[in-house]
């Protein structure tokens, strides 16, 4: 829970207008009302409300279903059909579909165990100012890989790129291009969701972290998925297909994201060398422009609370 002694964050100007640019979706199981209420309070503390998306209960599904490829899941992920993981996956796909059905430009997608850190709103606003740098903006992770900063956002945080796999999908933002990819190209399910949407580079999309992280998933130590996932692992033969596939992903991820990182460094170097007209005409020592000038167009948000749930189609 957010510390009660901490003053609420200021609602920043991108969140002040009723015109829709950022939809907020909260994934929550039907029987997890306490978690839902806790998230409503945490969101209220940072000036946001969310549309509740009732999570798909994988245990209630009757397999096979067209949204899930059992063979690909075995060969690529090395597990037998895991209903909780499938339910989680389809819940995130539903959020992407809702964004496409709305007028919003972005969607903040949250699982119901997220904790917001100090400066969350300020960091999100700064990242939206630099919306051309990403299609998927990662706000949390359960991995500990190194994040390489390429653009300063605030005094404490930067846009960063991870060259290794980062798991977890507790809090992230997608634009409409990424949502279309998730809704159309990531179905049927072949991998766990946090692995699948971490492969955006294979679709020509861009992802970035806000780092240090401005959200975490350490609200509690329980996970209905991770606590049972090990039970669905296949025997050791799975490594004959899973390991080559993962090796391919690691190599391509490093190459594609590494190239993006180098381009980001080059862009920053170029911007720091630019001088103001006044400096060009003076004999004084040159002073570079700030590497990330504020070129901001107000980006208001509209998020609502809705008990309705669209079915997975």
């Amino acid at each position: 829970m957010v510390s009660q002694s901490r003053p609420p964050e200021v609602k920043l100007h991108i969140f002040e207008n009723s015109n829709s640019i950022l939809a907020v979706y909260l994934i929550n199981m039907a029987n997890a009302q306490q978690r839902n209420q806790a998230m409503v309070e945490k969101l209220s503390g940072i000036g946001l409300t969310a549309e509740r998306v009732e999570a798909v209960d994988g245990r209630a599904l009757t397999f096979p279903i067209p949204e899930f490829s059992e063979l690909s899941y075995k060969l690529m992920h090395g597990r037998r059909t895991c209903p909780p993981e499938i339910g989680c996956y389809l819940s995130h796909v539903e959020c992407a579909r809702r964004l496409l059905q709305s007028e919003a430009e972005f969607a903040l997608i949250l699982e119901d165990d997220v904790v917001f850190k100090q400066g969350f709103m300020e960091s999100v606003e700064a990242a939206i100012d630099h919306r051309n740098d990403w299609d998927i903006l990662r706000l949390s992770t359960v991995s500990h890989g190194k994040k390489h900063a390429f653009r300063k956002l605030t005094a404490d945080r930067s846009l960063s790129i991870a060259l290794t796999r980062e798991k977890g999908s507790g809090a992230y933002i997608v634009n409409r291009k990424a949502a279309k990819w998730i809704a159309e190209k990531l179905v049927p399910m072949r991998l766990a969701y946090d692995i699948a949407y971490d492969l955006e580079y294979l679709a020509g999309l861009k992802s970035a972290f806000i780092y240090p992280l401005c959200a975490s998933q350490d609200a509690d130590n329980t996970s209905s998925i991770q606590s049972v996932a090990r039970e669905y692992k296949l025997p050791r033969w799975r490594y004959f297909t899973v390991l080559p596939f993962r090796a391919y992903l690691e190599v391509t991820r490093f190459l594609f994201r590494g190239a993006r990182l180098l381009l980001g460094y080059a862009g920053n170097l170029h911007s720091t060398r630019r001088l103001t007209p006044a400096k060009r005409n003076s004999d004084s020592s040159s002073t570079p422009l700030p590497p990330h000038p504020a070129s901001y167009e107000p980006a208001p948000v509209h998020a609502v609370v809705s008990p309705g749930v669209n079915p997975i189609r």
Side-chain angles (χ1 to χ4, degrees):
M1 294 292 291
V2 176
S3 171
Q4 298 299 315
S5 62
R6 195 182 81 190
E9 296 193 35
V10 176
K11 183 182 287 189
L12 301 171
H13 55 282
I14 69 168
F15 302 103
E16 289 176 348
N17 193 293
S18 62
N19 295 329
S20 177
I21 192 156
L22 179 70
V24 184
Y25 300 122
L26 171 61
I27 299 172
N28 173 251
M29 294 291 291
N31 61 355
Q33 295 301 317
Q34 186 173 358
R35 279 191 171 201
N36 180 65
Q37 183 57 38
M39 281 299 299
V40 168
E41 293 174 2
K42 285 185 278 189
L43 284 164
S44 177
I46 59 174
L48 292 178
T49 56
E51 179 179 337
R52 179 177 172 270
V53 177
E54 185 171 318
V56 176
D57 185 354
R59 294 183 177 89
L61 299 175
T62 302
F63 297 96
I65 59 174
E67 295 89 353
F68 173 69
S69 173
E70 181 179 9
L71 178 60
S72 296
Y73 189 74
K74 286 181 177 180
L75 296 178
M76 300 165 66
H77 196 42
R79 289 180 183 171
R80 294 179 288 109
T81 300
C82 179
E85 200 162 60
I86 296 168
C88 174
Y89 193 106
L90 297 181
S91 301
H92 283 272
V93 172
E94 171 64 11
C95 292
R97 287 174 172 159
R98 291 198 185 195
L99 172 60
L100 296 176
Q101 293 165 2
S102 75
E103 298 298 323
E105 184 178 351
F106 304 99
L108 168 60
I109 300 173
L110 302 167
E111 295 180 357
D112 63 5
D113 59 349
V114 170
V115 173
F116 303 110
K117 298 185 178 182
Q118 184 70 37
F120 178 87
M121 297 285 278
E122 179 188 10
S123 300
V124 167
E125 178 184 31
I128 288 179
D129 281 348
H130 295 288
R131 64 192 74 185
N132 291 332
D133 286 327
W134 53 268
D135 299 296
I136 300 176
L137 182 66
R138 304 282 296 270
L139 309 176
S140 69
T141 180
V142 296
S143 300
H144 303 284
K146 183 175 177 58
K147 317 297 188 297
H148 303 269
F150 69 94
R151 188 176 299 283
K152 192 74 172 175
L153 292 179
T154 67
D156 302 319
R157 293 188 172 99
S158 301
L159 283 178
S160 304
I161 290 176
L163 301 181
T164 55
R165 182 173 65 169
E166 292 286 333
K167 300 178 68 175
S169 53
Y172 61 99
I173 296 175
V174 295
N175 61 18
R176 297 183 71 87
K177 184 178 178 182
K180 190 175 191 301
W181 171 66
I182 292 169
E184 296 181 0
K185 302 301 183 182
L186 294 193
V187 179
M189 172 184 175
R190 299 178 178 87
L191 297 164
Y193 183 75
D194 59 349
I195 297 176
Y197 93 125
D198 193 46
L199 305 180
E200 83 300 322
Y201 56 91
L202 295 177
L205 300 176
K206 297 176 290 186
S207 71
F209 274 90
I210 291 181
Y211 195 79
L213 299 174
C214 59
S216 67
Q217 279 186 275
D218 55 7
D220 56 47
N221 295 318
T222 62
S223 169
S224 60
I225 297 175
Q226 294 303 320
S227 61
V228 300
R230 292 183 180 86
E231 301 174 10
Y232 293 89
K233 283 188 175 181
L234 292 169
R236 292 185 180 275
W237 65 258
R238 71 184 186 274
Y239 292 122
F240 287 104
T241 58
V242 173
L243 288 183
F245 176 65
R246 288 185 178 175
Y248 160 74
L249 296 182
E250 293 300 324
V251 171
T252 54
R253 180 186 293 109
F254 182 85
L255 293 176
F256 279 86
R257 290 189 183 165
R260 273 196 60 219
L261 187 61
L262 292 176
L263 290 174
Y265 289 159
N268 286 342
L269 180 62
H270 175 72
S271 66
T272 57
R273 287 177 175 173
R274 290 181 300 174
L275 303 178
T276 62
K279 290 295 182 182
R280 290 192 185 101
N281 296 327
S282 69
D283 294 328
S284 60
S285 60
S286 61
T287 303
L289 286 174
H292 314 297
S295 55
Y296 179 76
E297 295 180 2
V301 64
H302 176 57
V304 298
V305 176
S306 171
V309 179
N310 292 338
I312 295 291
R313 288 174 293 279

